[in-house]
């Protein structure tokens, strides 16, 4: 069973799997409720890129081990995990610092989205200059359309002990300020592109509601398209000549694929004052991309070379975070491990299941 938010309900009808693969411990908890309810072996393959850098390692630790406040219960859930298939050595270091016992259950495989099996062949046909917006507005456009009041309340309640870089208090308004600022910059940039007869393609974040993007553009003087829901993120990136995004770990994908990127987190000096250590505002990947200081500078860079140069610093970072250059065999390593160690009477092959 490959667990995600959409498929969790299937476990109510089909509970007798030999192997369960979840992206996080949180979803494992959501699926079974109690540790003893899960009878099969559990494996964790994270599906989200979070830096293991010192400033944000607490966020990665929570992502990998869960936010269960009861330490005894949390240990029970972690004991259910047979193996963590990690992206890179920085992730391993965070888990080793958390628990040497858990670190013994870790195997570094690399970035799962970039296994060579997942790549489609690029269309070489000449086409118009294509610009993609990697959206990160899950706060403003949450997938379940919850009330803004509820989102603010959850942030204010602060059950995860979020720490903001420039405030002694964990005030949720910082996050909202940056989200609104980034969205306003998106609107400004769309207008600039439209004047050049460019219609950008929006890629909603997985936690966004893509239908709201479609509704929003009706009767507006801005033009954009919304990506196909069933298109993989890597395939979508590969179709774009230029990626525009705010502070986001999607930059690791862009770097691995050698894409042109314009990062908008420096368009306003006010944004840095509201930085959040538990988001991507301080990820070390940001400094390797071009970050225009204003819209005029942004416009001048649209058709220029905006790729991140893979110098020693970037290569070292990619190696630590996504197991570069061996990331292209990530799912293969997962499959080989499961076949070798969990194979019984079933002819198990991860790639056949993925197809």
């Amino acid at each position: 069973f490959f667990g995600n938010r959409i498929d969790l309900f299937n476990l109510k009808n089909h509970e007798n799997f030999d192997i369960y693969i979840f992206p996080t411990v949180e979803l494992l908890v959501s699926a079974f409720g109690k540790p003893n309810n899960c009878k099969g072996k559990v494996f964790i393959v994270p599906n989200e890129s979070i830096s293991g850098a010192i400033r944000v390692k607490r966020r990665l630790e929570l992502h990998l081990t869960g936010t269960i406040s009861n330490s005894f219960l949390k240990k029970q859930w972690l004991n259910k995990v047979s193996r963590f298939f990690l992206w890179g050595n920085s992730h391993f270091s965070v888990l080793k610092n958390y628990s040497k016992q858990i670190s013994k259950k870790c195997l570094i495989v690399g970035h799962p989205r970039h296994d060579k099996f997942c790549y489609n062949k690029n269309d070489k046909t000449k086409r118009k200059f294509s610009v993609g917006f990697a959206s990160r507005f899950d706060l403003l456009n949450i997938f379940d359309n919850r009330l803004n009041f509820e989102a603010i309340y959850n942030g204010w309640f602060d059950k995860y002990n979020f720490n903001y870089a420039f405030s002694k208090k964990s005030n949720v308004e910082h996050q909202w300020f940056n989200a609104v600022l980034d969205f306003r910059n998106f609107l400004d940039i769309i207008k600039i592109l439209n004047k050049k007869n460019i219609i950008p393609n929006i890629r909603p974040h997985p936690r966004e509601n893509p239908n709201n993007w479609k509704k929003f553009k009706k009767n507006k003087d801005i033009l954009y398209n919304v990506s196909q829901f069933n298109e993989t993120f890597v395939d979508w990136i590969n179709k774009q000549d230029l990626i525009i995004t705010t502070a986001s770990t999607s930059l690791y994908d862009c770097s691995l694929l050698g894409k042109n990127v314009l990062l908008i987190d420096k368009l306003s000096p006010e944004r840095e004052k509201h930085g959040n250590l538990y988001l991507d505002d301080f990820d070390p990947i940001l400094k390797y991309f071009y970050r225009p200081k204003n819209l005029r500078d942004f416009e001048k860079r649209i058709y220029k070379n905006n790729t991140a140069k893979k110098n020693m610093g970037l290569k070292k970072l990619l190696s630590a975070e996504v197991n570069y250059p061996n990331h292209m065999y990530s799912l293969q390593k997962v499959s080989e491990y499961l076949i070798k160690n969990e194979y019984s009477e079933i002819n198990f092959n991860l790639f056949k299941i993925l197809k």
Side-chain angles (χ1 to χ4, degrees):
F1 176 82
F2 293 87
N4 56 45
R5 296 178 191 277
I6 297 174
D7 295 329
L8 284 182
F9 72 94
N10 287 327
L11 289 178
K12 296 179 181 179
N13 301 318
H14 305 283
E15 298 180 353
N16 298 319
F17 288 94
D18 297 305
I19 292 175
Y20 296 92
I21 301 178
F22 289 96
T24 65
V25 174
E26 297 285 343
L27 287 185
L28 168 64
V29 175
S30 298
F32 292 102
K34 297 180 179 179
N36 290 336
N37 290 341
C38 178
K39 306 302 181 184
K41 287 192 173 182
V42 174
F43 297 86
I44 302 295
V45 182
N47 64 347
E48 186 175 356
S49 177
I50 296 178
S51 171
I54 293 176
R55 294 189 73 181
V56 293
K57 66 178 183 179
R58 174 62 175 160
R59 178 191 173 200
L60 177 59
E61 178 187 298
L62 289 172
H63 179 72
L64 292 174
T65 65
T67 58
I68 306 163
S69 57
N70 185 309
S71 59
F72 177 75
L73 183 60
K74 184 172 185 176
K75 186 176 181 179
Q76 285 186 310
W77 280 112
L78 291 174
N79 286 340
K80 293 295 298 183
V81 179
S82 296
R83 182 73 61 175
F84 287 88
F85 295 110
L86 302 179
W87 288 30
N89 190 62
S90 69
H91 297 195
F92 173 76
S93 297
V94 168
L95 277 185
K96 186 177 181 180
N97 184 64
Y98 176 79
S99 167
K100 290 184 178 180
Q101 181 181 355
I102 292 178
S103 69
K104 295 177 181 179
K105 300 194 292 184
C106 296
L107 178 66
I108 297 173
V109 298
H111 196 323
R113 284 199 296 268
H114 291 272
D115 187 283
K116 61 181 181 179
F117 173 81
C118 299
Y119 284 6
N120 282 336
K121 292 183 178 180
N122 291 333
D123 185 3
K124 302 295 183 179
T125 306
K126 287 186 177 181
R127 48 182 170 71
K128 292 183 178 180
F129 187 77
S130 179
V131 176
F133 278 72
S135 174
R136 189 62 174 84
F137 298 115
D138 52 318
L139 182 64
L140 304 179
N141 182 30
I142 190 66
F143 68 94
D144 59 0
N145 290 324
R146 71 188 67 169
L147 293 174
N148 287 341
F149 288 157
E150 183 178 352
I152 294 172
Y153 174 83
N154 290 339
W156 165 71
F157 186 68
D158 193 25
K159 59 183 177 181
Y160 302 131
N161 295 317
F162 285 179
N163 294 310
Y164 291 87
F166 298 95
S167 173
K168 294 181 180 180
K169 297 180 180 180
S170 300
N171 291 327
V172 68
E173 65 265 23
H174 291 283
Q175 189 176 349
W176 280 83
F177 181 92
N178 280 352
V180 174
L181 177 62
D182 287 342
F183 184 72
R184 193 262 293 169
N185 284 329
F186 261 42
L187 296 179
D188 288 336
I189 291 169
I190 291 173
K191 293 283 286 184
I192 290 173
L193 295 174
N194 286 171
K195 289 179 180 179
K196 299 178 181 295
N197 296 318
I198 298 174
I199 300 177
N201 191 281
I202 306 288
R203 176 71 180 198
H205 188 275
R207 289 194 295 271
E208 286 189 55
N209 185 336
N211 292 324
N212 286 339
W213 278 104
K214 297 174 183 177
K215 292 178 184 177
F216 173 71
K217 71 175 183 177
K218 292 181 179 179
N219 302 318
K220 302 289 191 304
D221 59 344
I222 53 175
L223 299 174
Y224 60 81
N225 295 316
V226 181
S227 67
Q228 296 295 319
F229 178 78
N230 60 353
E231 184 176 36
T232 69
F233 187 55
V234 168
D235 290 340
W236 176 81
I237 289 180
N238 267 326
K239 290 181 179 179
Q240 314 306 322
D241 296 302
L242 173 65
I243 299 293
I244 299 170
T245 188
T246 185
S248 168
T249 51
S250 62
L251 294 171
Y252 287 95
D253 301 86
C254 294
S255 178
L256 292 174
L257 296 171
K259 304 303 293 186
N260 287 302
V261 176
L262 286 176
L263 183 55
I264 68 169
D265 69 319
K266 293 293 187 181
L267 287 179
S268 169
E270 293 299 313
R271 194 184 191 286
E272 188 174 7
K273 298 177 183 179
H274 304 274
N276 182 351
L277 284 171
Y278 276 76
L279 294 180
D280 301 323
D281 298 330
F282 300 97
D283 195 290
I285 191 75
L286 304 183
K287 64 183 179 182
Y288 294 101
F289 289 89
Y290 193 81
R291 305 157 90 176
K293 296 294 179 22
N294 53 61
L295 289 173
R296 187 174 299 173
D297 184 22
F298 174 93
E299 189 170 3
K300 291 178 180 179
R301 299 288 309 190
I302 291 175
Y303 294 106
K304 293 186 177 181
N305 181 356
N306 299 296
T307 58
K309 295 182 180 179
K310 284 193 175 71
N311 55 30
M312 289 301 296
L314 180 55
K315 288 181 179 179
K316 184 178 180 180
L317 177 64
L318 292 176
S319 175
E321 299 295 340
V322 298
N323 203 32
Y324 173 86
N326 298 315
H327 60 285
M328 297 189 71
Y329 305 98
S330 53
L331 291 180
Q332 179 179 325
K333 291 178 180 177
V334 174
S335 178
E336 289 175 350
Y337 176 89
L338 294 177
I339 293 171
K340 179 179 179 180
N341 296 279
E342 306 300 332
Y343 177 84
S344 56
E345 298 178 358
I346 302 174
N347 185 16
F348 181 83
N349 189 309
L350 177 64
F351 293 107
K352 287 183 179 179
I353 293 176
L354 286 174
K355 288 181 179 179

